[in-house]
Amino acid sequence: MNGAQDLGGAHGFGPVAPEPDEPVFHAAWERRVFAMAMAMGYTGAWNLDGSRATRESLPPAEYLSSSYYEIWLKALEQQVAATGLATQAEMETGKSMEPAKPVARVLARDGLEARFRAGFPSSRAADAPARFAVGDSVLARNIHPTGHTRLPRYVRGRRGRIVRVDGVFVFPDTNAYRTGENPTWLYTVAFTAQELWGESGDPGGLVTVAAFEPYLDPA
């Protein structure tokens, strides 16, 4: 999706100003939003890629004027409503008006740390050999899907080189919409800064991108 979240290489958004000793959360409500997102995602009503796709689908003006966790909260409210776990009226009033919809799993405090430290791996077994190898020249496809994709806009149509074969993983573009995990080879692809931005690019600059096999063609 060519949305407001895809800002790589764009001008006019001001400098990146890292905050020294930045806390994980700047306010108590951010911590709560993160906890709710984790708990609701654990129910299985949607998956990680679906969450990303929902955040990206916010209108550009709304996305760009919202803080990081405001975006998370707005997307969470959309997902909760879309899956019938709560109505908009219930979220606005904080009161249940309908019987609770059953969910596949409930995140309990017991075992919480161990469960999340173990992670939720998206790696899968390969059912076909990798199409590319380290050192191969590739061309990032010039695609503009209306749905979720992990291929940044600024590398599309650009030539790069495979620097690592990462393995096989769930394909986000389909998994976001529950149309299949479609395990797919993932590569780390390096692009020179001047390939991406022409003469204004740093002559010694190199940008690496994690790119799934369907995003790439032989150069």
Side-chain angles (χ1 to χ4, degrees), residues 23 40 63 78 84 99 143:
M40 295 309 300
Y63 186 99
Q78 284 192 19
I143 58 173

Side-chain angles (χ1 to χ4, degrees), residues 120-162:
F120 300 87
S122 61
S123 56
R124 299 292 185 266
D127 61 3
R131 185 182 183 191
F132 303 107
V134 171
D136 285 354
S137 294
V138 293
L139 183 70
R141 297 184 64 203
N142 189 10
I143 58 173
H144 298 274
T146 56
H148 182 59
T149 184
R150 301 289 286 170
L151 184 66
R153 191 166 38 199
Y154 64 88
V155 305
R156 298 175 195 171
R158 305 297 183 179
R159 295 176 184 272
R161 180 173 57 85
I162 303 291

Side-chain angles (χ1 to χ4, degrees), residues 55-157:
R55 292 195 289 270
E56 292 168 2
S57 70
L58 293 175
E62 184 176 3
Y63 186 99
L64 293 172
S65 62
S66 301
S67 69
Y68 182 74
Y69 281 108
E70 284 175 339
I71 293 170
W72 275 55
L73 178 58
K74 291 173 181 180
L76 179 60
E77 289 175 343
Q78 284 192 19
Q79 289 177 298
V80 166
T83 53
L85 294 176
T87 65
Q88 190 63 41
E90 287 175 320
M91 287 186 281
E92 290 174 356
T93 62
K95 297 180 180 180
S96 296
M97 301 176 185
E98 301 288 342
K101 182 179 178 180
V103 293
R105 300 180 301 188
V106 174
L107 187 61
R109 183 170 183 174
D110 293 343
L112 175 64
E113 183 175 355
R115 171 61 277 186
F116 275 82
R117 284 192 180 280
F120 300 87
S122 61
S123 56
R124 299 292 185 266
D127 61 3
R131 185 182 183 191
F132 303 107
V134 171
D136 285 354
S137 294
V138 293
L139 183 70
R141 297 184 64 203
N142 189 10
I143 58 173
H144 298 274
T146 56
H148 182 59
T149 184
R150 301 289 286 170
L151 184 66
R153 191 166 38 199
Y154 64 88
V155 305
R156 298 175 195 171

Side-chain angles (χ1 to χ4, degrees), residues 142-185:
N142 189 10
I143 58 173
H144 298 274
T146 56
H148 182 59
T149 184
R150 301 289 286 170
L151 184 66
R153 191 166 38 199
Y154 64 88
V155 305
R156 298 175 195 171
R158 305 297 183 179
R159 295 176 184 272
R161 180 173 57 85
I162 303 291
V163 295
R164 188 172 67 209
V165 179
D166 295 297
V168 174
F169 295 85
V170 172
F171 189 44
D173 301 40
T174 56
N175 193 50
Y177 307 104
R178 301 228 183 230
T179 56
E181 288 193 343
N182 296 321
T184 305
W185 284 95

Side-chain angles (χ1 to χ4, degrees), residues 150-152 164 166 186-189 191 208-212 215-216:
R150 301 289 286 170
L151 184 66
R164 188 172 67 209
D166 295 297
L186 180 69
Y187 306 88
T188 298
V189 184
F191 300 85
T208 58
V209 171
F212 284 92
Y215 301 160
L216 304 172

